[in-house]
Amino acid sequence: MDTAALKASWAQVATLGDQAAAYFYATLFSIDPGLRAMFSASMGGQRDRLLTALGHIVSNVEDTDALVAFVQQLGRDHRRFEVQPQHYPVVGQALLHTLAHGLGPAWNDQLAADWTEAYGIVSTVMIEAAAAAESFEPAWWNAEIVSHERRTGDIAAFTVRPQGELRYRAGQSIAVESHLRPKVWRYLTPANAPRRDGTIEFHVRAVPGGQLSSALVYQAREGDVLRLASPIGNRLTVASAPGPDLLLLAGGTGLAPMKAIIEQLAVGLHDRKVTLVVGAANRWDLYDMPALNQLADDLPWVQVITALSDDPLGGQPVTAVEAALHNGSWHDREIYVCGSPAMVAGTCQVLRDEGYASGNVHVEQFDDKTYAPLRAALTPDGVFEEVTRP
């Protein structure tokens, strides 16, 4: 298999952008029309996800360890879309048709053989990973909403009780689907560490045009049953063992994983100090202050600072990172950042400009080598429209 030829041919097809993805799905559904029912009504973002995932696979074709881990996770997570082994040959056939169409005269028998071999390896790894996962976890957990509270005009906090044990770590993301928007999955971040009763709290802001976020904020009710998939991500997780003090910078519903981290540390043995800086546009967007004040009262090692960037009632506008820097130096701390993409990017830039070591700054990045392409591959619209992290 000529990996250089794979990369070069894919680079040429990728220049076609949405046209290549549209051709792929048109071909796929013409080969097997029944597959269309496995996708949500809107296919717009699905096309971007295909290009992102394939681009990641091809670009890492020589990095065996990274590629295998990525493809295995794809295989495990595709179980929630009810993908079966018999679907893979059809997808491979549509992929080869798309490559031949995109490359035109450059397509030849040797490239066809190389791509057939490469896809065969990828599909085998995905199928095997999916089969192995069946032995220790379901494709999804049904989870009943046991409480639902609108905290602001566009933010809701709700708690679910999964049927069966769903293991996760504070700081990880969990894909969620609702009957209100069938086949639309979005990643949310639990706002609590794992509990004995298994309940999980989520914070969601309704994003304009967001399919699932708006439904979860405005339409979801107690008694509704959601589907939850396996957790992913490790950039925002913290070891329970003793370690450096922490600075947690949260913007909006990016508060959720920070609360979960504090809860995790509260039940362990450690000597860490934690400073949590919560940023919001105005005081009404500080939607979880009673719980934060309670944490600060109960845990003497936790300090909570608020920062308002656009409060109509006055005061100096300040972002979370600016508020943190006004309150001291944090070079001896591990720094965790979570919020909107703009908040995370701006915060990281400020920290770099102030000389903070990048290795001490933790974010769940879009360009994360393992998870960002995976999320793009599995998340309709290719964006975190309502997750509680960047």
Side-chain angles (χ1 to χ4, degrees):
M1 181 170 59
D2 187 342
T3 57
L6 290 178
K7 290 183 177 181
S9 59
W10 175 251
Q12 183 176 339
V13 172
T15 61
L16 300 176
D18 189 63
Q19 295 180 35
Y23 185 90
F24 168 82
Y25 283 108
T27 304
L28 179 67
F29 298 148
S30 67
I31 297 173
D32 187 347
L35 292 178
R36 182 62 181 86
M38 298 175 65
F39 296 84
S40 63
S42 173
M43 288 289 296
Q46 183 72 33
R47 297 168 182 174
D48 291 336
R49 299 205 308 279
L50 170 70
L51 295 176
T52 301
L54 287 176
H56 180 79
I57 289 172
V58 173
S59 64
N60 287 278
V61 69
E62 294 168 338
D63 187 350
T64 304
D65 291 341
L67 183 58
V68 168
F70 173 76
V71 173
Q72 286 176 332
Q73 189 66 54
L74 274 181
R76 287 189 289 267
D77 281 317
H78 268 71
R79 293 181 303 139
R80 71 170 183 264
F81 302 115
E82 301 180 79
V83 175
Q84 301 298 320
Q86 63 268 24
H87 295 140
Y88 285 90
V90 182
V91 172
Q93 187 178 350
L95 175 61
L96 291 178
H97 277 295
T98 302
L99 291 165
H101 174 77
L103 291 171
W107 183 250
N108 56 50
D109 290 343
Q110 185 57 53
L111 269 178
D114 288 341
W115 274 102
T116 299
E117 180 182 356
Y119 179 76
I121 294 172
V122 168
S123 60
T124 297
V125 172
M126 290 182 68
I127 291 169
E128 290 177 349
E134 291 290 342
S135 64
F136 61 85
E137 65 180 18
W140 64 76
W141 288 258
N142 289 326
E144 180 184 359
I145 297 179
V146 295
S147 69
H148 186 284
E149 179 185 1
R150 286 276 294 280
R151 297 288 180 83
T152 72
D154 61 355
I155 294 176
F158 63 92
T159 300
V160 301
R161 179 179 290 111
Q163 295 177 5
E165 184 181 16
L166 196 170
R167 297 183 179 182
Y168 69 94
R169 296 177 62 192
Q172 288 190 302
S173 296
I174 295 175
V176 178
E177 183 209 37
S178 167
H179 69 283
L180 298 168
R181 298 294 185 273
K183 304 185 187 305
V184 176
W185 291 82
R186 296 292 189 269
Y187 280 98
L188 305 178
T189 307
N192 62 282
R195 298 168 176 168
R196 289 185 179 181
D197 66 1
T199 58
I200 303 173
E201 177 184 339
F202 292 112
H203 298 170
V204 184
R205 182 189 295 274
V207 176
Q211 295 185 62
L212 185 59
S213 62
S214 296
L216 291 176
V217 172
Y218 302 126
Q219 297 175 263
R221 299 289 183 269
E222 292 183 16
D224 287 355
V225 176
L226 307 179
R227 286 179 173 180
L228 310 183
S230 301
I232 67 170
N234 58 20
R235 291 285 186 99
L236 292 180
T237 58
V238 177
S240 296
D245 295 340
L246 304 179
L247 171 64
L248 310 179
L249 303 177
T253 54
L255 169 64
M258 306 310 187
K259 279 188 65 180
I261 289 171
I262 292 173
E263 281 194 14
Q264 172 191 310
L265 294 176
V267 299
L269 296 176
H270 70 93
D271 57 357
R272 301 188 184 198
K273 295 180 180 178
V274 176
T275 298
L276 169 63
V277 185
V278 183
N282 55 66
R283 63 196 64 203
W284 297 284
D285 280 342
L286 295 172
Y287 64 90
D288 208 31
M289 285 309 299
L292 296 180
N293 290 333
Q294 190 65 52
L295 280 177
D297 289 342
D298 294 343
L299 305 172
W301 43 271
V302 173
Q303 177 189 21
V304 177
I305 299 171
T306 59
L308 303 179
S309 61
D310 188 24
D311 190 11
L313 297 185
Q316 180 66 34
V318 63
T319 64
V321 67
E322 290 169 343
L325 296 177
H326 290 166
N327 278 272
S329 174
W330 312 95
H331 288 277
D332 60 340
R333 297 205 181 194
E334 293 292 312
I335 303 173
Y336 288 72
V337 183
C338 188
S340 70
M343 178 269 182
V344 172
T347 297
C348 290
Q349 184 60 57
V350 170
L351 292 173
R352 282 193 294 269
D353 293 344
E354 294 294 325
Y356 284 83
S358 60
N360 293 341
V361 180
H362 305 265
V363 300
E364 201 68 85
Q365 299 179 37
F366 280 105
D367 61 354
D368 178 272
K369 211 175 166 187
T370 301
Y371 294 106
L374 177 64
R375 289 189 176 116
L378 298 177
T379 305
D381 299 340
V383 296
F384 289 102
E385 67 163 40
E386 61 278 297
V387 299
T388 50
R389 65 200 320 151

